[in-house]
Amino acid sequence: MLPEQFLERMRCMLGEEYDIFLETFGQERRQALRLNPLKYDAEGRSAAQRYGTDSGSFAVLEKVPWAEDGYYYRGQDQPGKHPFHEAGLYYIQEPSAMAPVELMEVQPGERVLDLCAAPGGKSTQIAAKLKGRGLLVCNEIHPARAKILSENIERMGIGNACVINEAPERLVGLFSGFFDKVLVDAPCSGEGMFRKNQEACGEWSPENVRLCAQRQDGILDCAARMLKPGGRLVYSTCTFSLRENEGSVSRFLERNEDFQLMAIDKGRLGLEGCDGITAYFDEEKFLGGDAAGEVQEIEGNGAGAHMPGMENTLRLWPHRIRGEGHYAAVLRKKGNLPETCGNNDRIFTVERNAEAAWKEFCAFCRENLTCRIDLSRKTGESPGMEGAARYIVFGDNLYVLPEEMPSLKGLKVVRPGLHLGTLKKNRFQPSHALALALRPGSAARRWEFSDCSPDLVTYLGGGTFSGEGEKGWYLVCVEGFGIGWGKLAGGVMKNHYPKGLRKG
């Protein structure tokens, strides 16, 4: 049941397109995934390389035109239930939601902030473009969602990201002028997801639309302060509301004269005609309240009868593309990016009592890896470990930090970097994160499963199975891709797949 005030507003916004738009709510929505270019098999092929042209056994794929490594799949394929999902070969993501990161133009080695990051679709997409180099800071204000975000960062084998759980205002002092690129995928009224999420319909209200717009203003202002001169800020929502989309951008530009709106090359993305709205539309009369007062407020903040330049923003409509409703705008901070990275006085340089854990980790590497992994400089051995510079210990857990990681003292850190493992009774136990980030070719011993093996089902359920071979740690693989650890002793493979992830 769509809210009546929402329908009235959309009828006036869309005019003759309204009936076609309304029909989409009775149609099956399109589903998509992004193949992971950071996940490699034993032969050195990434999941994106291996399945981008040949879908193999897990799904029938069709390219999403605006997203690198993005593909539609059929509903009956159910890739979320395939073991490849647990191995991090892909991230299931709504196709329209893939567009904003493509607008960021992320380059390897940059510092990037995803300010409202959960559940992690856009963060993992950014990480793919960083190719294991540079720094990705993923922030989520809600603790439970931050945990889900952290789990997805781990599942996709990402080593150069940290996950924090803070309000945007808490980050500004530490990260002022720090980032090359910032994404604000803002919390919104969710109108674009009504077809996907029926609960969003019940949560919609005129008051929530206004509340979301106010919240977006504050988040954007925080993001602006954390961007370097010459840096790129991408703002996105999954709503149709003008107040939350072009209105938010217009108000931001009015408050921040050091920013300019950039034109989006929609032809390159195959999204011709998906322009933002330039003629002001009085949606307030459909939201109730004092319409005249609301309109005056908007006009006083840059959104008058016409909003010049807003055609350069991006509106994705479900009746025009194969995806849900989404909005995006690209903003550039005036000035030039510095030739060298600034703010080096804040870069983390102190190792925290990690000597014992580090010594045991080195012993583990000598016994169980075929190549030396130098965590002090870029080696190219594993995309999850390139560019790593320092290691720290939290409790008994050893982490390696991304390059140029700032000190996060005083902040709530969920995941400071790549979790290497845990020191237990003076012995090093490798982490699940390391299994997912490691290239299989780096493991001295591998145990291979086909994707339909009954023993793989046993393993993912937490069970042990019989095996013959040299005793020690094994990287358990499915079709050549690492999915977890096992330890062979006495003809039995002991299961080290995390209890919280086990099936059945």
Side-chain angles (χ1 to χ4, degrees):
M1 295 292 292
L2 296 171
E4 188 58 37
Q5 286 172 297
F6 165 75
L7 291 175
E8 281 297 316
R9 191 196 69 198
M10 298 309 298
R11 182 181 290 110
C12 291
M13 284 181 71
L14 287 168
E16 61 184 18
E17 290 187 58
Y18 173 75
D19 289 339
I20 303 174
F21 166 78
L22 196 59
E23 287 175 5
T24 64
F25 289 93
Q27 298 169 359
E28 183 179 359
R29 63 184 181 87
R30 297 305 302 264
Q31 301 179 81
L33 55 81
R34 278 184 301 98
L35 292 171
N36 188 359
L38 303 179
K39 187 71 178 185
Y40 284 81
D41 66 13
E43 297 180 6
R45 296 174 297 176
S46 74
Q49 292 169 330
R50 181 165 164 180
Y51 293 106
T53 55
D54 179 9
S55 63
S57 61
F58 76 92
V60 174
L61 302 180
E62 178 188 356
K63 191 76 179 67
V64 175
W66 55 82
E68 184 180 19
D69 300 324
Y71 294 86
Y72 296 103
Y73 67 87
R74 303 175 307 179
Q76 60 263 39
D77 290 326
Q78 297 184 311
K81 297 182 178 180
H82 196 281
F84 282 176
H85 181 267
E86 307 310 314
L89 271 65
Y90 45 78
Y91 189 102
I92 296 174
Q93 187 178 19
E94 198 283 310
S96 295
M98 299 178 187
V101 171
E102 297 296 331
L103 305 178
M104 295 181 73
E105 300 184 359
V106 171
Q107 300 298 317
E110 291 182 326
R111 299 173 181 172
V112 184
L113 170 65
D114 187 354
L115 189 52
C116 312
K122 295 180 176 67
S123 286
T124 57
Q125 190 176 1
I126 292 169
K129 295 183 180 299
L130 285 173
K131 299 180 180 179
R133 296 171 51 202
L135 171 66
L136 171 60
V137 175
C138 313
N139 179 66
E140 173 56 44
I141 190 171
H142 299 289
R145 287 171 55 80
K147 181 180 178 181
I148 295 170
L149 166 64
S150 179
E151 291 169 351
N152 280 320
I153 291 293
E154 175 177 282
R155 182 174 63 84
M156 298 296 279
I158 297 165
N160 61 326
C162 72
V163 178
I164 52 183
N165 169 217
E166 290 288 357
E169 295 80 7
R170 288 265 296 151
L171 306 180
V172 172
L174 174 63
F175 291 115
S176 179
F178 189 82
F179 293 101
D180 301 287
K181 306 282 171 64
V182 176
L183 174 66
V184 175
D185 185 41
C188 67
S189 57
E191 297 170 0
M193 296 294 113
F194 281 177
R195 182 167 62 161
K196 176 182 177 182
N197 182 9
Q198 291 296 317
E199 292 181 3
C201 295
E203 295 171 356
W204 186 92
S205 70
E207 293 74 22
N208 191 42
V209 171
R210 294 193 187 96
L211 180 63
C212 287
Q214 293 171 4
R215 186 183 299 124
Q216 290 153 8
D217 289 349
I219 294 172
L220 274 170
D221 287 346
C222 290
R225 293 171 61 187
M226 290 186 277
L227 192 66
K228 294 177 182 178
R232 195 175 185 93
L233 167 62
V234 171
Y235 172 73
S236 68
T237 73
C238 57
T239 191
F240 301 116
S241 166
L242 182 111
R243 174 174 276 272
E244 298 179 68
N245 292 340
E246 292 88 351
S248 284
V249 175
S250 294
R251 295 191 302 275
F252 173 80
L253 291 171
E254 183 74 13
R255 295 190 307 272
N256 296 273
E257 296 182 354
D258 56 337
F259 276 79
Q260 63 187 116
L261 185 65
M262 304 296 290
I264 296 172
D265 186 353
K266 295 159 190 165
R268 177 180 65 86
L269 300 172
L271 293 170
E272 297 91 341
C274 294
D275 297 339
I277 295 173
T278 58
Y280 175 68
F281 172 79
D282 179 12
E283 70 177 15
E284 294 300 327
K285 65 183 180 181
F286 300 102
L287 299 181
D290 184 356
E294 295 289 352
V295 173
Q296 185 178 6
E297 175 194 338
I298 296 176
E299 290 180 348
N301 287 280
H306 296 282
M307 294 180 288
M310 289 301 139
E311 70 277 3
N312 291 319
T313 65
L314 181 70
R315 266 190 179 261
L316 302 182
W317 299 95
H319 63 287
R320 295 185 185 177
I321 62 155
R322 292 193 292 172
E324 306 305 305
H326 230 82
Y327 175 81
V330 179
L331 299 150
R332 180 183 179 275
K333 195 170 190 177
K334 296 175 183 178
N336 297 308
L337 282 171
E339 294 183 5
T340 58
C341 294
N343 306 306
N344 287 325
D345 57 316
R346 291 176 296 184
I347 301 302
F348 186 94
T349 57
V350 181
E351 299 175 359
R352 301 184 187 175
N353 303 319
E355 290 80 4
W358 176 254
K359 180 180 178 180
E360 293 302 325
F361 174 65
C362 290
F364 168 84
C365 291
R366 288 192 297 269
E367 295 172 7
N368 299 286
L369 301 183
T370 60
C371 61
R372 177 172 178 263
I373 297 180
D374 187 348
L375 297 179
S376 65
R377 60 177 180 267
K378 303 168 189 175
T379 66
E381 296 293 351
S382 170
M385 305 177 81
E386 288 173 1
R390 290 157 301 277
Y391 54 95
I392 59 173
V393 167
F394 285 148
D396 295 327
N397 295 292
L398 179 68
Y399 288 84
V400 62
L401 300 177
E403 61 187 38
E404 299 188 351
M405 169 75 93
S407 172
L408 302 178
K409 184 177 180 180
L411 297 181
K412 290 176 282 187
V413 180
V414 181
R415 180 178 295 270
L418 177 62
H419 184 206
L420 298 176
T422 306
L423 195 62
K424 292 188 174 182
K425 297 180 181 179
N426 294 321
R427 295 291 292 174
F428 185 84
Q429 181 171 306
S431 70
H432 187 59
L434 180 61
L436 294 174
L438 194 68
R439 291 197 185 196
S442 298
R445 293 173 290 273
R446 301 194 303 271
W447 196 274
E448 297 284 353
F449 286 123
S450 70
D451 61 350
C452 56
S453 167
D455 280 344
L456 176 61
V457 176
T458 299
Y459 174 76
L460 294 177
T464 60
F465 53 89
S466 300
E468 297 295 331
E470 181 183 3
K471 72 175 183 178
W473 288 100
Y474 281 72
L475 182 65
V476 179
C477 298
V478 52
E479 301 289 346
F481 294 95
I483 196 171
W485 293 109
K487 195 172 186 181
L488 188 62
V492 176
M493 184 70 76
K494 296 181 181 179
N495 196 309
H496 285 268
Y497 196 72
K499 292 181 179 179
L501 300 178
R502 293 175 182 178
K503 307 295 183 183

